[in-house]
Amino acid sequence: MSKDKSIDYTIIGVDEAGRGPLFGPVVAAAVFLDEDVYIEGIDDSKKLSEKKRNELYEMIFSRAKFGIGLATPEEIDLHNIFHATELAMNRALELLSQFVEIKNVFVDGKNLKLNYPATCIVKGDGEIYQISAASILAKVTRDKIMKKFDLQFPQYKLSVHKGYPTEEHIELLKVHGPTPFHRLTFEPVTEMLSVKLLDSWLREGLISEERYEKVSSLLEVDLFGNLRKHRTHRKSK
């Protein structure tokens, strides 16, 4: 494939996948493409079919220089989704720094503060070639993670909805209750928690004391011993 003359090959593109789900990590990718690398069809991952995303993922994976980072549900609960996204992006850039000098970084989003100078571009995943490539790597990587979790927790059908707050996922949460891999500070997960459940996870080492305290602070017990929940607020993508 010939090089597209309109592409600025000095750019490092950064994007994430998974700010909105109730389950699992947020995943970020940072991508640099050498000047002789042009992959036809790269676009915002949300505009592509799953089949096309997977095909492009394989090509980007084999031909680009990239780093992939993630932030866990615990980190999301402790730091909030916005700062956890920054954490995942910084980890992706740190890995990429082993292969290229980190400069001229363009990131999808706004108001993000990274460890490297970066230009935020709203809807950059549809405008900047390298951000589009990063969006594909991040999305497909996260989907692969969800398929692995689906083997561990088949009752939630994670391979279908990828952890997003679909009607089916919420109904299954009501039936089976949340897991430590859900985002415990996200509604409606918080509404389904109990002190007893948190206590058992803490005893079993499934959540840290810091996370236990953070999530417990969202719960109150009234005079009759009934739990009341503080409403949490989050912005999702």
Side-chain angles (χ1 to χ4, degrees):
M1 295 179 187
S2 61
K3 171 185 168 185
D4 186 325
K5 302 295 185 184
S6 68
I7 295 171
D8 181 352
Y9 279 89
T10 69
I11 288 174
I12 290 171
V14 180
D15 200 7
E16 53 72 29
R19 286 181 65 171
L22 305 176
F23 184 104
V26 59
V27 176
V31 173
F32 176 85
L33 291 156
D34 291 320
E35 287 194 26
D36 61 344
V37 176
Y38 175 67
I39 302 172
E40 189 173 353
I42 285 180
D43 201 349
D44 174 5
S45 66
K46 296 185 290 297
K47 297 178 182 178
L48 302 170
S49 67
E50 183 175 4
K51 181 175 182 292
K52 187 63 176 177
R53 276 199 306 269
N54 288 334
E55 290 173 355
L56 289 167
Y57 169 89
E58 294 298 336
M59 288 188 274
I60 297 166
F61 192 92
S62 63
R63 302 180 67 186
K65 295 180 176 70
F66 64 88
I68 293 176
L70 60 81
T72 65
E74 170 154 339
E75 289 171 326
I76 292 168
D77 285 341
L78 293 178
H79 306 300
N80 77 42
I81 185 59
F82 184 79
H83 292 306
T85 297
E86 293 176 326
L87 187 61
M89 289 178 169
N90 282 323
R91 287 169 174 165
L93 285 165
E94 187 64 32
L95 286 173
L96 180 59
S97 72
Q98 299 176 42
F99 309 105
V100 298
E101 182 183 355
I102 303 300
K103 59 182 180 179
N104 207 21
V105 176
F106 282 71
V107 57
D108 182 54
K110 61 181 180 179
N111 302 324
L112 291 156
K113 293 180 178 160
L114 304 181
N115 294 339
Y116 301 88
T119 300
C120 292
I121 306 287
V122 176
K123 297 184 179 178
D125 48 6
E127 297 180 17
I128 306 294
Y129 182 63
Q130 292 88 342
I131 296 181
S132 297
S135 77
I136 293 167
L137 280 190
K139 170 63 175 168
V140 176
T141 298
R142 191 179 187 282
D143 286 354
K144 289 176 180 287
I145 292 171
M146 288 301 99
K147 287 177 182 178
K148 289 185 178 180
F149 271 120
D150 185 61
L151 298 174
Q152 186 176 356
F153 302 105
Q155 67 271 33
Y156 296 99
K157 300 185 179 179
L158 295 165
S159 63
V160 177
H161 52 70
K162 309 300 191 298
Y164 281 85
T166 63
E167 184 177 341
E168 179 180 46
H169 187 190
I170 292 170
E171 287 304 311
L172 291 170
L173 264 171
K174 290 177 182 176
V175 172
H176 302 290
T179 73
F181 299 99
H182 279 89
R183 300 174 183 182
L184 307 182
T185 56
F186 277 29
E187 292 181 356
V189 180
T190 309
E191 299 295 322
M192 302 180 193
L193 294 172
S194 68
V195 172
K196 181 179 179 181
L197 183 60
L198 291 175
D199 284 345
S200 68
W201 286 345
L202 182 63
R203 285 196 304 271
E204 294 168 21
L206 297 175
I207 59 174
S208 67
E209 288 189 17
E210 188 178 7
R211 190 182 187 195
Y212 174 88
E213 291 173 3
K214 176 69 178 288
V215 177
S216 294
S217 71
L218 301 175
L219 308 179
E220 288 183 349
V221 179
D222 65 19
L223 293 175
F224 303 99
N226 299 313
L227 284 177
R228 298 180 305 209
K229 280 86 174 178
H230 288 298
R231 292 188 64 82
T232 56
H233 300 278
R234 62 181 175 88
K235 294 180 180 179
S236 62
K237 176 180 175 182

